[in-house]
């Protein structure tokens, strides 16, 4: 029987084109770096960097950027067997502007449709998804068909076994707010209703306060965490930016952890590093407070670097940051 995966993620992938000059608008930037991007793909990379057997379920265009993403996944130790091409659509690219410490506008080029929204249920290896120790999906996967049906099919195949993580990942620009039902039919479900359907099939929910508010109607962190648990999950993780992170378990235990001091270069990949470290800590069976501290440190390390995927930390880097109580400057991705 094939070895099961520690982590399988599902959803967005693309090429990040990040300016190599900070503090400038895109109109004035002259040089860019090319990186693997897409939140669930980055989470898989982060988990692999921490020693976990990881794979991603997604789709690219049948083009040079798609080839690049396959190469990058393999370089990072992420299994790309379920990354398949779509003839009709190009591999998406994303640009950002970098204005440290807290302004990082994103510009998504995913038109007419991103290949990663063309994941079909019939193409899923539901046996592998069911047996994975962690399955990670995102709110973006619910924004359009056939990805929505495939994502829900994967969740139902899991049947809440193991650790099933719903990254709330609310990206309003990806949702068609003009979706209408035929006259006399039931109105199309709202994004909140779509989220509630997925929450009932997940065991862990992760999101910032805006995402939690979309999913539950609650913005205050403790109220949002309780509402997520009421929607079905066992563990609710509410990210609060400079206020740190709150984690509440169904058993009543809670951990609120402050952020690690860091000189921010680019905050865009911090949440993905946090996600990969969250998976790592859950798989290790650590207590909630220890997991949150570790995940916070991993996120802070990436925030101190320009890139996302290639910036994901190794275990020794996370341990060093925890020991020092702050993130110090280190070469990105350097070996010990």
């Amino acid at each position: 029987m094939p070895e099961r995966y520690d982590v399988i993620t599902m959803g967005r992938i693309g090429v990040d084109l990040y300016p190599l000059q900070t503090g400038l608008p895109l109109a004035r930037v002259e040089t860019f770096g090319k990186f693997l991007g897409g939140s669930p793909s980055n989470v898989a990379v982060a988990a692999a960097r921490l020693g976990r057997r990881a794979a991603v379920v997604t789709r690219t265009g049948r083009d040079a950027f798609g080839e690049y993403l396959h190469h990058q996944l393999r370089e990072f130790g992420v299994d790309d067997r379920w990354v398949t091409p779509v003839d009709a659509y190009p591999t998406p690219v994303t640009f950002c502007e970098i204005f440290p410490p807290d302004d990082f506008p994103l510009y998504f080029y995913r038109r007419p449709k991103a290949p990663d929204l063309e994941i079909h249920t019939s193409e899923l290896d539901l046996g592998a998804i069911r047996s994975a120790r962690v399955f990670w999906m995102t709110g973006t996967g619910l924004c359009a068909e056939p990805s929505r049906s495939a994502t829900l099919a994967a969740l139902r195949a899991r049947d809440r076994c193991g650790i099933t993580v719903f990254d709330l990942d609310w990206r309003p620009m990806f949702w068609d707010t003009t979706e209408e039902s035929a006259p006399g039919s039931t109105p199309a479900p709202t994004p909140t209703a779509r989220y509630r359907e997925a929450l009932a099939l997940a065991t862990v929910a992760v999101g910032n306060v805006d995402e939690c508010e979309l999913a539950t109607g609650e913005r205050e962190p403790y109220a949002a965490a309780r509402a997520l648990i009421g929607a079905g999950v066992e563990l609710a993780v509410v990210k609060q930016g400079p206020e740190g992170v709150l984690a509440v378990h169904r058993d009543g235990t809670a951990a609120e952890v402050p952020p690690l001091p860091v000189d921010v270069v680019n905050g865009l990949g911090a949440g993905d590093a946090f996600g990969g470290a969250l998976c790592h800590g859950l798989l290790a069976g650590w207590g909630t407070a220890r997991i949150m501290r570790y995940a916070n440190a991993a996120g802070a390390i990436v925030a101190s670097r320009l890139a996302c995927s290639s910036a994901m930390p190794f275990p020794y880097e996370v341990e060093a940051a925890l020991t020092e109580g702050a993130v110090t400057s280190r070469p990105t991705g350097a070996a010990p």
Side-chain angles (χ1 to χ4, degrees):
M1 182 176 179
E3 181 185 356
R4 68 173 179 165
Y5 291 85
D6 292 318
V7 179
I8 294 179
T9 69
M10 179 175 176
R12 199 163 71 250
I13 197 169
V15 175
D16 286 346
L17 295 172
Y18 284 0
L20 300 182
Q21 300 155 282
T22 63
L24 291 177
L26 283 182
R28 294 177 54 196
V29 173
E30 296 183 354
T31 55
F32 295 84
K34 182 177 66 180
F35 307 97
L36 179 149
S39 180
S41 300
N42 280 336
V43 169
V45 170
R49 276 273 169 95
L50 296 173
R52 298 299 178 175
R53 185 171 187 245
V56 61
V57 179
T58 189
R59 307 195 74 182
T60 71
R62 194 184 294 275
D63 51 28
F65 277 155
E67 293 176 12
Y68 165 76
L69 294 174
H70 275 279
H71 173 76
Q72 286 293 284
L73 288 169
R74 292 192 290 266
E75 283 286 303
F76 291 131
V78 176
D79 196 323
D80 65 341
R81 71 182 62 194
W82 297 305
V83 182
T84 58
V86 176
D87 291 324
Y89 304 120
T91 300
V93 298
T94 302
F95 290 87
C96 79
E97 293 174 321
I98 300 177
F99 297 103
D102 58 5
D103 187 18
F104 309 101
L106 282 168
Y107 302 88
F108 294 98
Y109 291 80
R110 292 169 58 86
R111 298 293 182 183
K113 187 180 185 182
D116 54 57
L117 294 176
E118 282 292 300
I119 301 173
H120 292 261
T121 302
S122 60
E123 299 167 343
L124 298 178
D125 186 338
L126 293 177
I129 289 171
R130 186 182 302 110
S131 67
R133 299 175 68 194
V134 175
F135 176 65
W136 179 288
M137 48 72 63
T138 77
T140 295
L142 303 174
C143 76
E145 292 291 0
S147 172
R148 178 187 302 134
S149 292
T151 301
L152 292 171
L155 288 173
R156 294 189 187 103
R158 292 284 292 177
D159 195 24
R160 295 174 56 84
C161 67
I163 301 163
T164 302
V165 184
F166 181 6
D167 175 5
L168 301 181
D169 187 40
W170 170 237
R171 306 279 182 173
M173 70 287 291
F174 297 162
W175 290 73
D176 182 4
T177 56
T178 65
E179 184 178 9
E180 296 181 359
S181 304
S185 66
T186 303
T190 64
T192 296
R194 304 285 191 193
Y195 272 51
R196 300 285 291 194
E197 186 175 3
L199 283 168
L201 298 166
T203 63
V204 179
V206 184
N208 61 35
V209 291
D210 293 330
E211 293 164 339
C212 290
E213 184 176 26
L214 181 278
T216 69
E218 299 286 354
R219 188 171 182 84
E220 192 281 321
Y222 276 93
R226 289 191 293 268
L228 289 169
I229 290 170
V233 303
E234 299 293 318
L235 177 66
V237 180
V238 182
K239 296 183 286 188
Q240 304 174 69
E243 303 302 316
V245 62
L246 168 70
V248 179
H249 197 277
R250 180 177 292 277
D251 65 12
T253 59
E256 192 160 13
V257 178
L260 212 61
V262 59
D263 290 329
V264 174
V265 174
N266 182 0
L268 291 175
D272 302 335
F274 182 100
L278 172 67
C279 293
H280 178 66
L282 290 170
L283 289 169
W286 296 342
T288 303
R290 181 182 178 186
I291 295 172
M292 293 304 110
R293 287 193 295 270
Y294 194 94
N296 256 358
I301 290 168
V302 173
S304 74
R305 299 170 174 175
L306 175 68
C308 291
S309 53
S310 60
M312 296 300 166
F314 294 96
Y316 80 93
E317 295 177 299
V318 182
E319 295 295 344
L322 289 169
T323 298
E324 295 167 8
V327 175
T328 57
S329 178
R330 298 175 189 275
T332 299

